[in-house]
Amino acid sequence: MRLPLSFLSIAISAALLTPSALAKVVGTLDNIETNTVIIVDGVVEPAWSAAPVLKVNINKTPYQPNNGYEGIKQTTYTIQSMRKQGDIYFLIQWADPTESVNRFPWMQQADGSWQQLMNKDDTGHDNTYYEDKMAILWNINLKSFKKKGCAAACHMAKDGIQQGLADKAPGRKYTKLGTTIDMWHWKGVRSNPVGQADDQYIHDNINPKTNKNWGRSGDAKTGGGYSNNVKDGQPAFVQTDLTNDSVVVLDAKKMPLDASWKQTNRIPGIVTAPFTGSRGDLTAKGVWNDGMWTLEIRRAMVTTGDKSSIQDVQFTDLSKAYDFGVSVFDNSQINHVYHDGVLQLRFK
């Protein structure tokens, strides 16, 4: 029996619009259930050996900084996932030859003054005195994410213009009207010392006057967080047990810097405290050892905080696939290594 041409056209169009046809899946991560207690400390417990491993090579960067960037331009990471009593866990490991925890530190000069170290490129971003980072982007309702992955949220300036505005940044993150992406942003200096990853999200704002980071914002918070350690052109705070190797000044221990300070000639550029509220949903700890970062993350599978329905991916349906992507930042403010296409999390 020959089908009418109109029927065939409709059938073909419908097939082309199915999610499976739109998706460009480059890897699948299987999550399994466990009864073992998992301590989020950046140390791999034996229980992780039961979790399937997804291995991904990432070798793309959004731009080439003009100030001598020597960070990694490609690496391989592995990711595993388990769930236990309403919580979901991730173990991520990636090769990075250097542990970078110098985020704009202060160094004392010969005359006793303090200079904050930085080396920004022509876009106004640093990749010399910065921190290692890792980001997982979870799609909430942006259709193009299924095909492009993280690239669906990243928009490159063309001839110095972004959305009709002069903009030096090579790329900006924002989504289409009414859509959002959940962003889990682990930061080696600002969040790791307090055992968290920064819970953020990407939305549809393209007005830098409304939000200087365009479509990237932190989730709702009730307290805590990080700030630059600066006042009147010098460090604002120190703490009694500070050493030259200290990564941050802890907000709970901070005290004002005064002229009598002789304990160190280096002072961290960040004061930090754990986020409270929805922005503190992500418990995380990363440990660098012998050229490898090992990072563990825990979050409730379903969050209930303010605006959680638009800011957080909700793992409510264990029969569906959840689209995501992972990128790695080596000592860089915005330059990162990423992959094309989308990864999917499935529950077993």
Side-chain angles (χ1 to χ4, degrees):
M1 176 181 176
R2 179 176 294 178
L3 296 173
L5 182 60
S6 58
F7 180 88
L8 289 174
S9 299
I10 293 172
I12 292 171
S13 298
L16 291 174
L17 292 174
T18 60
S20 59
L22 289 173
K24 183 182 177 182
V25 180
V26 296
T28 299
L29 173 62
D30 290 333
N31 172 285
I32 63 169
E33 192 166 13
T34 182
N35 293 318
T36 304
V37 174
I38 302 171
I39 301 172
V40 180
D41 57 2
V43 177
V44 182
E45 295 99 337
W48 281 111
S49 63
V53 178
L54 172 63
K55 186 176 182 179
V56 182
N57 180 257
I58 46 177
N59 56 12
K60 296 182 178 296
T61 57
Y63 81 115
Q64 179 61 48
N66 71 334
N67 61 343
Y69 174 65
E70 296 180 355
I72 55 177
K73 296 180 175 64
Q74 71 91 31
T75 190
T76 297
Y77 67 84
T78 60
I79 182 168
Q80 297 166 264
S81 183
M82 295 192 287
R83 65 188 185 277
K84 181 179 186 291
Q85 297 177 345
D87 287 336
I88 189 166
Y89 296 81
F90 294 88
L91 171 64
I92 307 150
Q93 296 180 290
W94 69 94
D96 181 348
T98 58
E99 179 185 19
S100 305
V101 290
N102 273 312
R103 191 187 185 280
F104 302 148
W106 294 92
M107 295 299 297
Q108 193 169 35
Q109 306 303 295
D111 62 359
S113 65
W114 293 91
Q115 179 182 348
Q116 192 168 30
L117 303 183
M118 57 182 63
N119 179 31
K120 296 190 176 184
D121 62 23
D122 61 352
T123 73
H125 298 91
D126 203 288
N127 46 62
T128 304
Y129 302 104
Y130 216 71
E131 64 190 321
D132 290 338
K133 301 186 291 181
M134 188 282 315
I136 306 178
L137 269 59
W138 295 97
N139 188 31
I140 295 180
N141 58 355
L142 180 64
K143 289 183 178 179
S144 57
F145 194 101
K146 287 187 171 295
K147 184 175 182 180
K148 298 180 179 179
C150 298
C154 190
H155 305 271
M156 308 306 291
K158 185 176 182 180
D159 299 325
I161 300 295
Q162 180 79 253
Q163 291 290 326
L165 301 173
D167 188 25
K168 292 196 303 181
R172 294 291 185 181
K173 287 185 170 56
Y174 52 86
T175 63
K176 290 188 176 181
L177 186 64
T179 63
T180 52
I181 294 170
D182 191 4
M183 181 176 182
W184 298 4
H185 203 177
W186 173 82
K187 302 170 180 179
V189 170
R190 286 170 288 175
S191 70
N192 197 51
V194 293
Q196 290 184 333
D198 192 351
D199 198 354
Q200 302 179 313
Y201 73 110
I202 302 171
H203 48 90
D204 58 16
N205 177 65
I206 55 174
N207 181 0
K209 292 182 178 179
T210 301
N211 180 35
K212 68 177 183 178
N213 289 321
W214 292 61
R216 181 167 60 87
S217 296
D219 286 12
K221 69 170 187 172
T222 56
Y226 48 79
S227 60
N228 292 324
N229 185 21
V230 58
K231 182 180 180 181
D232 300 329
Q234 67 175 20
F237 300 106
V238 290
Q239 64 187 54
T240 57
D241 57 351
L242 203 64
T243 72
N244 279 333
D245 294 325
S246 297
V247 174
V248 293
V249 173
L250 295 174
D251 187 76
K253 294 184 176 183
K254 71 182 182 184
M255 62 183 191
L257 173 71
D258 61 40
S260 66
W261 183 261
K262 304 291 184 184
Q263 189 167 315
T264 64
N265 59 10
R266 176 190 177 277
I267 296 175
I270 288 292
V271 178
T272 191
F275 285 112
T276 58
S278 297
R279 197 164 175 180
D281 282 341
L282 299 167
T283 301
K285 188 63 179 180
V287 173
W288 184 91
N289 184 51
D290 196 22
M292 180 77 66
W293 275 107
T294 297
L295 172 65
E296 290 181 300
I297 300 176
R298 180 186 71 228
R299 202 206 74 175
M301 293 183 67
V302 179
T303 62
T304 57
D306 184 30
K307 299 181 180 178
S308 60
S309 63
I310 63 170
Q311 295 178 351
D312 290 342
V313 61
Q314 303 293 346
F315 301 110
T316 53
D317 185 353
L318 301 192
S319 67
K320 66 173 282 189
Y322 292 84
D323 298 331
F324 72 103
V326 178
S327 58
V328 168
F329 300 68
D330 180 18
N331 190 35
S332 182
Q333 197 164 358
I334 63 170
N335 206 29
H336 55 280
V337 192
Y338 67 98
H339 59 84
D340 283 333
V342 66
L343 306 174
Q344 286 189 336
L345 172 72
R346 292 184 178 275
F347 291 93
K348 297 296 183 180

